[in-house]
Amino acid sequence: MEQASVHSIYDSYINALPSTKSDRIVSEANRYTLTNKDGYFRRVIPRPGLELVESSYSLQENRVMDLQSQAAMVELSFCLEGSGEFVVSGSQHEFLPGSCSLQLMNDFHAHFMYRADVPHRSVGIGISVEQFNEWVAESDVGAAYSFQGLLGNQAYRLFRMPLQPNMARMLQQLNDFSSSHLKLRRLHTEGKILEIVSSALDTFLFEREENRPRRQLSRSDREKIHSARDILLENMESPPSLIELARLAQLNEYKLKIGFKEEFGTSVFAYLRERRLEKALGLLREGHLNVSEVALIVGFSNFSHFSEAFRKQYGLNPSEVKRGRFC
């Protein structure tokens, strides 16, 4: 899977639109204008394997588009306005205005159905598989967060949530060049893209909390949350991702996040980290294993991350416990 795959997918999509033409007046981006003043696309490629596509258009007649690609990528997609449906490798969905989605695709077939005279406005950020895996590689929660871990044997997976106010503000700032010199606009755009990606992945994969009102859990939901806790502890060395854990517990991932904190007083992976470190403490006090062996047993592939987390929780280095300095 090459980095160019991201850009080839967007090439194929834009080529499938009715009579697009390229206007290369803007040096840091390509602007594609649809015929009959239907709208435009703006593309920015700040680095290989990363691309921003902004679109705003309203087609004059119903339009059906097909896209076939053997390429692979991760896309963060923000639907700001729009109406219609799309089917990707047998998975059918609607465009939902005011939503944010994380999409993973590989060797897929997409079928888009757009309605006439309906404004469609969106922002997409395409990320190469290599870049995505590099960003999540240091999570220390197992391989479940990798591209292959999330996608599995499927051709396409979609995870969606409402667009939060902080994310909407960042999207608006993409084209706010008021504080940037003309020659630094490309750098400004790249910085904003990375800020958006960081915030979105933090929310989708690593449980960044939004301010939400406390909700009453049903007995069924509470039982499922306890089941999720048991699954987590049974797979401490290589736990499932939050999205996969929600599926295994038969819960929506956002209900799992909120309910878990209400039930156990902390987030899912903060809870997991505490249990891992408790187990590590016990193993170190037994004295049969060295520090690196203990780190691997409890699921830390990075020794420095383990030592830092252990020191933060217990105020001592793991080696000090090994030498018997923990009461």
Side-chain angles (χ1 to χ4, degrees), residues 102 132-142 144-146 150 197-209 240-243 254 257 267-270 273:
L102 173 67
F132 178 80
N133 284 339
E134 179 182 335
W135 280 337
V136 301
E138 296 185 353
S139 62
D140 273 322
V141 288
Y145 283 91
S146 69
L150 289 169
V197 171
S198 174
S199 181
L201 293 183
D202 203 13
T203 302
F204 274 111
L205 301 180
F206 300 107
E207 302 182 275
R208 187 174 60 85
E209 294 293 333
S241 67
L242 183 72
I243 295 167
Y254 306 107
K257 287 167 59 177
S267 67
V268 174
F269 286 106
R273 183 171 57 251

Side-chain angles (χ1 to χ4, degrees), residues 81-257:
E81 290 183 87
S83 179
E85 296 83 36
F86 61 100
V87 180
V88 187
S89 297
S91 179
Q92 184 170 359
H93 308 275
E94 292 185 18
F95 293 111
L96 295 179
S99 67
C100 169
S101 62
L102 173 67
Q103 303 178 69
L104 299 96
M105 59 201 80
N106 181 28
D107 193 9
F108 65 95
H109 176 247
H111 186 73
F112 300 92
M113 293 150 280
Y114 294 107
R115 297 169 188 163
D117 300 321
V118 175
H120 187 94
R121 190 162 57 94
S122 66
V123 176
I125 299 176
I127 307 164
S128 72
V129 173
E130 293 82 0
Q131 181 66 84
F132 178 80
N133 284 339
E134 179 182 335
W135 280 337
V136 301
E138 296 185 353
S139 62
D140 273 322
V141 288
Y145 283 91
S146 69
F147 179 83
Q148 190 60 47
L150 289 169
L151 186 61
N153 294 324
Q154 303 177 68
Y156 177 77
R157 285 193 77 176
L158 168 74
F159 309 105
R160 188 151 49 184
M161 66 181 179
L163 181 64
Q164 300 299 323
N166 70 314
M167 187 65 67
R169 286 193 296 271
M170 282 188 276
L171 291 172
Q172 291 175 348
Q173 292 167 358
L174 269 171
N175 295 312
D176 180 9
F177 302 121
S178 58
S179 61
S180 298
H181 189 279
L182 178 63
K183 294 182 178 179
L184 296 178
R185 287 186 177 181
R186 190 183 186 91
L187 181 61
H188 167 92
T189 302
E190 180 176 359
K192 287 299 174 183
I193 292 172
L194 295 177
E195 184 179 5
I196 291 168
V197 171
S198 174
S199 181
L201 293 183
D202 203 13
T203 302
F204 274 111
L205 301 180
F206 300 107
E207 302 182 275
R208 187 174 60 85
E209 294 293 333
E210 301 290 344
N211 294 323
R212 295 185 174 93
R214 185 177 178 87
R215 63 178 65 183
Q216 187 68 33
L217 294 173
S218 69
R219 179 177 179 179
S220 174
D221 286 344
R222 188 171 288 108
E223 289 174 350
K224 291 175 180 178
I225 288 167
H226 279 262
S227 174
R229 188 272 309 272
D230 294 341
I231 293 171
L232 204 63
L233 296 180
E234 290 169 3
N235 297 276
M236 184 181 295
E237 182 178 348
S238 183
S241 67
L242 183 72
I243 295 167
E244 185 65 15
L245 180 62
R247 186 190 68 79
L248 292 171
Q250 300 180 339
L251 277 170
N252 177 281
E253 59 263 28
Y254 306 107
K255 181 177 286 188
L256 172 62
K257 287 167 59 177

Side-chain angles (χ1 to χ4, degrees), residues 34 38-42 54-58 81 119-122:
L34 305 186
D38 285 327
Y40 73 89
F41 282 77
R42 175 177 177 248
E54 295 180 281
S55 64
S56 178
Y57 55 86
S58 178
E81 290 183 87
H120 187 94
R121 190 162 57 94
S122 66

Side-chain angles (χ1 to χ4, degrees), residues 59-64 114-117:
L59 301 177
Q60 297 185 7
E61 58 183 25
N62 291 342
R63 180 76 180 179
V64 177
Y114 294 107
R115 297 169 188 163
D117 300 321

